[in-house]
Amino acid sequence: MIKRIGKTIAGTMVKILYPPVCPVCGEMQPQMLTDDGIGRICESCEKRVQRVRSPFCMRCGKPLAKIHAGVEYCEDCRRRRHSYTQGRAAFVYRGAMIGTMHRLKYSNRRDYAPVLAREAYEMYADWIRRIRPQVIVPVPLHSSRRRSRGYNQAELLARELSRLSGIPMDTGMLARVHNTDRQRMLSPQERKNNMKNAFQMTKKIVQLEKVLLVDDIYTTGSTADAAADALHTAGICDVYLLCICIGGEEQGGLEDGSKDM
């Protein structure tokens, strides 16, 4: 009981000293607080971001540039087979979201993660319940990159998604064993080659069939495919994917350089 009260007081002090901010404009938004004290994207910034809406690719979740009768997949997913079962993303990676994701990854804005994870969860809670994953797994960073950055943004996102959904998170299941080159200047085939055998299972999996993989940005799917391949080797049947941002079909590659997926 005392321990619980102590955590409540500590949490309240953190909110007073570090009030939630909108992850897009960076301004304090106390009026946008949720019941559990997590902020929101403010009303004015909602007009500056593009959420993923239908029609989107039924495989990767990428918004489709044009509506074609009977076409369910983007050009990339029609052209090649992905190792993951299905993916979804909350925002299109353009405009204001580029700066938001860059600050989350490289400027220690860890406080953005719970806000962005909540936005994604509220968009895809029904989908998550429908696919019924048994565990949430963040895409891991190589140990050297994690030491340099100090945190893994995918893990921060996954932790909040786990709290909201009640699905346990496992950060020790999958390891990044190769410190791969940054992918922003690579072609799709080079990205695939770069990520080959980049991940490895670190423990035996028993009675686990469905996993929800979490990362920040999806580009060509090379990272997601490599992670899914490693999970499949352990006997996991279905690997689903949830990201915060994804490129639109007309964008091809992304504009700044996401890590990756």
Side-chain angles (χ1 to χ4, degrees):
M1 181 69 176
I2 294 174
K3 187 175 181 180
R4 188 182 307 164
I5 293 173
K7 285 185 177 180
T8 302
I9 294 173
T12 302
M13 291 302 297
V14 168
K15 292 169 190 174
I16 293 173
L17 294 173
Y18 304 100
V21 300
C22 168
V24 180
C25 66
E27 297 295 324
M28 289 187 292
Q29 302 291 338
Q31 73 278 11
M32 300 295 289
L33 280 178
T34 57
D35 292 340
D36 53 6
I38 295 173
R40 293 275 192 181
I41 293 176
C42 70
E43 186 175 343
S44 61
C45 286
E46 274 290 346
K47 302 172 184 176
R48 302 174 56 208
V49 300
Q50 181 181 346
R51 292 179 182 264
V52 173
R53 304 294 187 193
S54 181
F56 52 77
C57 176
M58 297 307 294
R59 174 70 68 187
C60 70
K62 184 180 297 180
L64 301 174
K66 297 179 180 179
I67 300 175
H68 299 291
V71 174
E72 294 185 334
Y73 303 105
C74 68
E75 182 179 351
D76 175 64
C77 290
R78 292 197 301 269
R79 192 171 57 241
R80 67 190 183 108
R81 177 186 175 277
H82 288 292
S83 298
Y84 62 87
T85 303
Q86 192 175 58
R88 293 290 182 265
F91 299 95
V92 180
Y93 188 68
R94 62 158 60 99
M97 286 306 297
I98 294 176
T100 293
M101 301 309 290
H102 192 276
R103 292 190 297 275
L104 169 66
K105 292 175 66 167
Y106 304 119
S107 297
N108 202 29
R109 292 314 305 250
R110 308 183 200 195
D111 54 318
Y112 287 5
V115 184
L116 296 171
R118 177 184 285 278
E119 298 286 356
Y121 178 73
E122 290 183 348
M123 291 179 67
Y124 294 111
D126 288 343
W127 176 72
I128 292 171
R129 283 191 286 268
R130 188 165 62 250
I131 63 176
R132 300 175 66 184
Q134 296 156 288
V135 67
I136 293 175
V137 176
V139 172
L141 290 176
H142 188 267
S143 56
S144 62
R145 191 167 296 179
R146 178 170 183 136
R147 284 194 299 270
S148 175
R149 188 174 300 173
Y151 62 98
N152 176 9
Q153 70 279 358
E155 184 176 324
L156 300 178
L157 295 164
R159 181 176 294 118
E160 180 64 13
L161 287 166
S162 174
R163 187 184 73 83
L164 291 168
S165 66
I167 301 168
M169 177 180 72
D170 192 325
T171 60
M173 179 187 301
L174 192 65
R176 196 163 190 151
V177 293
H178 296 304
N179 192 12
T180 52
D181 295 331
R182 295 188 183 277
Q183 304 221 102
R184 62 175 176 263
M185 301 303 292
L186 303 180
S187 69
Q189 185 58 47
E190 289 171 333
R191 288 173 184 245
K192 183 177 180 179
N193 294 338
N194 188 41
M195 294 307 303
K196 189 175 182 180
N197 300 319
F199 298 99
Q200 189 176 85
M201 297 297 292
T202 58
K203 57 185 178 183
K204 292 183 179 180
I205 304 301
V206 179
Q207 294 182 336
L208 194 61
E209 296 181 352
K210 296 183 179 182
V211 166
L212 179 61
L213 196 64
V214 173
D215 208 0
D216 52 356
I217 306 171
Y218 181 101
T219 56
T220 65
S222 298
T223 301
D225 286 336
D229 284 339
L231 292 165
H232 287 319
T233 63
I236 294 170
C237 299
D238 291 306
V239 178
Y240 295 90
L241 172 67
L242 182 60
C243 294
I244 302 301
C245 284
I246 193 168
E249 188 177 31
E250 76 282 2
Q251 284 178 269
L254 297 190
E255 300 161 38
D256 104 32
S258 51
K259 159 174 87 167
D260 14 287
M261 287 195 85

